[in-house]
Amino acid sequence: MKIRMQTLCKVPVYCAVASWISFYITVYIGRFFFTSKTIGADGVTQISTDSIRSIIFKVALFLLVLLAGGLWAFRSMSKKEIMISSGITSGIYLLIVLAQLYVPNFPNSLCVILAYIQNWTGVLSSLFMNLTSNFTVSVVLSSFAPLLFIPFGCKSIS
């Protein structure tokens, strides 16, 4: 089976754009869902986050990105094309994570920019963190989230 070269950039671009959009959805819409404000007796406003509602919101957003990609964005791609494109994306995410973990004095300003494109995989890393209690394992495993698109591919392209 032949791989169409123009399809190799679809998953990396989709993941970066979807992460960027999900970041802003979390910041601007999610705050109404999982934050609460109370005014204390002294008149000071206290803002708190409900962790259960936050997890529900983020998992729903993760699944929305996964299903939109699988059912809409990549429906014309074969499983092999999605596998290669997802592998490229996972490799990029893994390199970013390893650089953030092991490069001494990694620039904070770059971390802020990378947070926009890592937001989608960040949901998985927080879930893995709750399961394993190991930060390094959690963020490395979440780098492979784009591989979840593979089952949505066609068996062959006609």
Side-chain angles (χ1 to χ4, degrees):
M1 173 186 223
K2 192 170 183 175
I3 302 294
R4 297 174 295 171
M5 290 300 181
Q6 67 268 22
T7 63
L8 294 182
C9 67
K10 278 190 170 184
V11 176
V13 169
Y14 175 80
C15 286
V17 170
S19 289
W20 194 281
I21 292 169
S22 71
F23 177 83
Y24 282 106
I25 288 173
T26 303
V27 170
Y28 291 111
I29 296 173
R31 63 184 170 143
F32 297 115
F33 184 72
F34 54 79
T35 60
S36 61
K37 294 180 185 178
T38 56
I39 298 175
D42 56 357
V44 176
T45 303
Q46 296 175 343
I47 300 174
S48 61
T49 303
D50 184 354
S51 60
I52 300 296
R53 286 192 282 175
S54 174
I55 289 171
I56 291 169
F57 181 84
K58 290 178 182 179
V59 167
L61 195 57
F62 178 84
L63 291 175
L64 179 71
V65 169
L66 182 66
L67 291 174
L71 298 175
W72 172 71
F74 309 130
R75 78 176 160 192
S76 66
M77 294 173 66
S78 70
K79 288 186 182 195
K80 189 172 184 180
E81 290 171 333
I82 293 175
M83 181 178 63
I84 293 170
S85 187
S86 297
I88 292 168
T89 309
S90 295
I92 292 168
Y93 278 139
L94 187 61
L95 286 175
I96 291 170
V97 164
L98 292 176
Q100 289 173 332
L101 288 173
Y102 297 114
V103 171
N105 301 322
F106 195 79
N108 289 334
S109 58
L110 187 57
C111 285
V112 171
I113 294 168
L114 292 174
Y116 290 110
I117 63 168
Q118 291 177 300
N119 188 64
W120 181 64
T121 60
V123 173
L124 275 185
S125 65
S126 65
L127 291 176
F128 287 141
M129 184 65 185
N130 288 336
L131 293 173
T132 65
S133 299
N134 187 332
F135 179 76
T136 305
V137 170
S138 300
V139 294
V140 168
L141 283 177
S142 69
S143 299
F144 298 104
L147 296 175
L148 294 172
F149 290 120
I150 294 172
F152 293 103
C154 303
K155 289 192 184 218
S156 63
I157 303 299
S158 52

